[in-house]
Amino acid sequence: MTAHATHSVIGSAGAAGIDDVDAYMQSLGQGARDAATAMRRVDTAAKNAALTAMARHLEAARAEVLAANARDLERGRANGLDAALLDRLALDEARLNGMIEGLAQVAALPDPVGEIDDLRARPSGIQVGQMRVPLGVIGIIYESRPNVTLEAASLCLKSGNACILRGGSEASESNAAIAECIRRGLEEAGLPAAAVQVVATTDRAAVGRLISMPEYVDVIIPRGGKSLIERISREASVPVIKHLDGVCHVYLEASADPEKALAIAVNAKTQRYGTCNTMETLLVDATLAASLLPRLSSAYAEHGVELRGCERTREILDDVAPASAADWEAEYLAPVLAIRVVDGIEEAMAHIERYGSRHTDAIVTENYGMARRFMAEVDSSSVIVNASTRFADGFEYGLGAEIGISTDRLHARGPVGLEGLTTRKYVVFGDGQIRS
């Protein structure tokens, strides 16, 4: 075990003992850089062995992890965390099962590292291709969700990267318990302890240092509220993979099957409120509004969802609060939904273009041409036809887990899984050729 192994677990004593944050973060950075170099030599079998061992240790520590999470939740309630943050923070048996299954899925996925694509012969006789390789060192800054600690570790590990994880103080005990399972899995598989390091201080200066160490860190991935991501994007001197908002829409097109429309619109809003792929605005075609809005209103009332509507919505649903301009831009992360009646697909897409966040938008339609138009013209990282926006997720897309969702256009877009954590370099095979 290297000297950096002590950084792999959060602890209050460790946090209290860090007097020089700059020196501490530089130590983590150097450890991660060394580990990233070592990870280039690690084969798929060893990476999968570590993931399997992590899953086994998490299963064995189930009670300890849930107890640690209960303490975080108790402290969060005492500190006045809102319902959305508490939902993101909470772990239960089902979420733990999902985390363990996610490790198994990542282990079962093909290892992208070392793949050579587009190998082709050139007139000179050389062969040119592109090999998929790790990004190097990934810094991940996140709030609330302790499952990110495990997801980030698993995806970075399988893609051959080292990572430095900085979780929020509200999840400190949960993260510590999960990080211990990660440490044991790395140790059991004989991999560098510094391949996964969890920052052991809640000092905000640690974040500032992490995002300004290009000599050690190759990319930053922030996961959290808009203010956090805006700060990281503004201050980082390291490339950032990110999304700012999750203002997601469902458009019920004129030909939509009413039962599909009802099921999808309710699920997209109520399956979970505090996630970035939850629908925040429902667009209903005017030809469906009179028949479908009352049924939707009743279904949302059963879930306690507050509705805010445009004037045309309120003509049909007179107990709905008026929607303001701010509602069309809102990411509520709460049981609140904005509804707008629109005249056709052009108006629906214009609304999404103006107010959307380019995250995830869905159409419910039985018209193939309308589906194709929506897919081609809506500029979002995920565009969905006849299914809930809640499917915009790495686990549901078959990535095993995700490191986050990117609404950027360069390098990675949408849920970021293994391939999103790699890049490609050119490789050339020759047999003595020289250039004349």
Side-chain angles (χ1 to χ4, degrees), residues 105 297 404:
Q105 286 202 7
S297 178

PDB file of all heavy atoms in Angstrom, residues 105 297 404:
ATOM      1  N   GLN A 105     -22.365  -4.861 -13.413  1.00  0.00           N
ATOM      2  CA  GLN A 105     -22.546  -4.504 -14.814  1.00  0.00           C
ATOM      3  C   GLN A 105     -21.295  -3.872 -15.412  1.00  0.00           C
ATOM      4  O   GLN A 105     -20.928  -4.164 -16.547  1.00  0.00           O
ATOM      5  CB  GLN A 105     -23.736  -3.548 -14.967  1.00  0.00           C
ATOM      6  CG  GLN A 105     -25.086  -4.228 -14.798  1.00  0.00           C
ATOM      7  CD  GLN A 105     -26.205  -3.430 -15.453  1.00  0.00           C
ATOM      8  OE1 GLN A 105     -25.960  -2.443 -16.140  1.00  0.00           O
ATOM      9  NE2 GLN A 105     -27.433  -3.867 -15.234  1.00  0.00           N
ATOM     10  N   SER A 297     -54.364  16.023 -14.481  1.00  0.00           N
ATOM     11  CA  SER A 297     -54.505  16.778 -13.236  1.00  0.00           C
ATOM     12  C   SER A 297     -54.873  15.854 -12.077  1.00  0.00           C
ATOM     13  O   SER A 297     -54.301  15.954 -10.976  1.00  0.00           O
ATOM     14  CB  SER A 297     -55.564  17.860 -13.404  1.00  0.00           C
ATOM     15  OG  SER A 297     -55.754  18.567 -12.193  1.00  0.00           O
ATOM     16  N   GLY A 404     -21.789  11.008 -14.909  1.00  0.00           N
ATOM     17  CA  GLY A 404     -22.549  12.246 -14.984  1.00  0.00           C
ATOM     18  C   GLY A 404     -23.164  12.371 -16.363  1.00  0.00           C
ATOM     19  O   GLY A 404     -23.046  11.468 -17.198  1.00  0.00           O
TER      20      GLY A 404
END
